[in-house]
Amino acid sequence: MGNKLDKPITNKTSFDDQNEMIKFGISEMQSFKNSMELFTLKNTNLLEQNKNISLFGIFDGHNGSEISKYLSLHFSQFLTENKKFINGEYKQALKETFINIDNSLRALEVQKEISKYSTKNNLNFSELNLKEDENKNVLNFLELFEPRNLEGTNIAEFCGSCGIIVLITEKSVFIANSGNSKCIPINTKKEIMKDKINKEHIFTDENEVKRLKLAYGFVEEENDDIFDNNEVNGKIKFNPLNYCPLIITRGFGDLMYKDIKLIKQEDQYISVNPDIIEVPIDELGYMIIGNSEVFDDTIDNKKDNNYNIVKYFFEKSNNNKKISEIIEEFFDESINKKEKNKQAEDTANNMGCIIIEFKHDSNTINVDENNENKNNIKESENKINDKNNKNEDEAEEEDNP
């Protein structure tokens, strides 16, 4: 099965917790993949002075666990140290954090750190399962990049991770995504907010392909002057999209695809630049965050099948189960279906999911009820006092006609 296991590893790492604003559950499972490269992030105490700001994330690694592990350990620190985050400019802070933490992968001390998480010292093109003629074209494509020694290079050259972040603040929730993970916002009426679902950054997305064609060496005869200003000698007549062993077009790491000369960082072949969506917190009832495997179309035989986990969650959520237990059961059901479908089994990935329930609606109702009860008690007390005062006045009038 190549880099897949014959039998899935179904042990799960799960966690449940809550605070005044939210209740949440998390679960991770290795599945059929031969190593665990997915790590989640939870931080409900992001700022000591503001307990209402929380951070969640899923980092789905590829070609190794090094980058996803590093992101899960350090993303919170990079974000909270950002000046725009401190000033409450959350969108810009998230974008800068994605870029800054990705840049940090080039630092020598970070390279030493991520090497501790590694099970391999280097990766060469022969390990990328490319055809013989494709190897030659890949090396031609690398002429666009800064020269480097491919032997014993930085692990982050060939190892990367998708990343999706959910930042919860007092007024808004921000979804920042780079890669093909997904967040499904659900309103207080339990309706999916389709216009707030992040898009996946993959080769089938028309806008992503257009971006790649313009910036990364996709040279056609009718438009072969794209690289005139990029100091490339001669005309390159191949499409590098065919030779990148990645499905995603954005993500952390994969630095060998991020060094094209005179191209801005957010426009590189693999870009870390996130899409960011803002959702008012008072509109939200739930959020379901997962890597691509959680929303895989192969879970059943329907084409439009991204919302299986949503349907499953609401069917099971009335049984007084922990949120993580519902996610675990969904994972098991997914594995059972994949074991009956050889094609789906061969493409199975690690699984990671976070489900967040927002408690503000119920809190508001409880507060209103308490206020109403207090008002009723106060009204009763006033009526009793008025009656007692009236009786005292009548008695005084009888004594003093």
Side-chain angles (χ1 to χ4, degrees), residues 141-336:
F141 176 55
L142 287 176
E143 293 179 8
L144 298 172
F145 295 82
E146 298 290 347
R148 65 184 70 257
N149 179 10
L150 297 178
E151 294 295 329
T153 189
N154 180 0
I155 295 169
E157 299 290 323
F158 301 97
C159 176
S161 176
C162 298
I164 188 163
I165 287 289
V166 168
L167 173 65
I168 300 173
T169 69
E170 291 176 308
K171 294 183 179 180
S172 296
V173 177
F174 299 88
I175 306 162
N177 178 61
S178 184
N180 64 344
S181 297
K182 191 178 292 184
C183 176
I184 308 293
I186 300 163
N187 66 22
T188 55
K189 298 178 182 178
K190 296 185 178 181
E191 300 168 338
I192 293 172
M193 304 169 74
K194 293 187 177 182
D195 60 327
K196 299 295 185 181
I197 298 175
N198 63 283
K199 74 172 185 176
E200 300 171 83
H201 301 127
I202 52 180
F203 283 132
T204 55
D205 183 86
E206 184 178 350
N207 292 327
E208 287 296 283
V209 172
K210 287 179 181 178
R211 180 177 66 82
L212 296 175
K213 285 183 179 181
L214 290 174
Y216 310 121
F218 187 104
V219 182
E220 300 174 346
E221 291 185 4
E222 65 270 22
N223 192 22
D224 60 3
D225 61 345
I226 288 178
F227 291 98
D228 284 354
N229 296 323
N230 285 4
E231 303 176 354
V232 176
N233 296 324
K235 305 299 182 183
I236 301 174
K237 301 294 185 183
F238 73 96
N239 175 4
L241 297 183
N242 295 333
Y243 308 113
C244 176
L246 299 173
I247 297 173
I248 61 164
T249 57
R250 302 195 199 187
F252 297 90
D254 300 307
L255 299 182
M256 67 170 291
Y257 301 107
K258 293 179 176 177
D259 277 342
I260 302 177
K261 299 174 182 177
L262 302 182
I263 297 287
K264 292 190 298 183
Q265 185 172 7
E266 56 264 36
D267 293 332
Q268 291 291 321
Y269 184 70
I270 300 295
S271 171
V272 74
N273 190 36
D275 286 329
I276 301 175
I277 298 171
E278 181 177 358
V279 187
I281 196 167
D282 57 5
E283 295 180 11
L284 281 167
Y286 303 85
M287 272 186 161
I288 298 181
I289 314 158
N291 70 321
S292 58
E293 188 74 4
V294 172
F295 300 100
D296 191 356
D297 289 348
T298 58
I299 292 175
D300 63 31
N301 295 322
K302 297 178 181 178
K303 290 183 179 180
D304 185 14
N305 198 39
N306 282 329
Y307 308 131
N308 269 344
I309 179 67
V310 180
K311 180 181 177 183
Y312 191 92
F313 171 70
F314 285 118
E315 286 176 351
K316 301 288 185 177
S317 60
N318 295 325
N319 298 331
N320 295 321
K321 292 184 177 181
K322 293 181 179 179
I323 293 177
S324 67
E325 291 176 344
I326 299 174
I327 299 173
E328 289 176 351
E329 291 177 5
F330 178 81
F331 286 177
D332 289 335
E333 184 172 310
S334 175
I335 287 293
N336 291 336

Side-chain angles (χ1 to χ4, degrees), residues 339-353:
E339 285 184 311
K340 298 174 184 178
N341 183 337
K342 181 66 176 177
Q343 184 179 0
E345 181 182 309
D346 287 344
T347 59
N349 193 8
N350 301 146
M351 300 186 77
C353 183

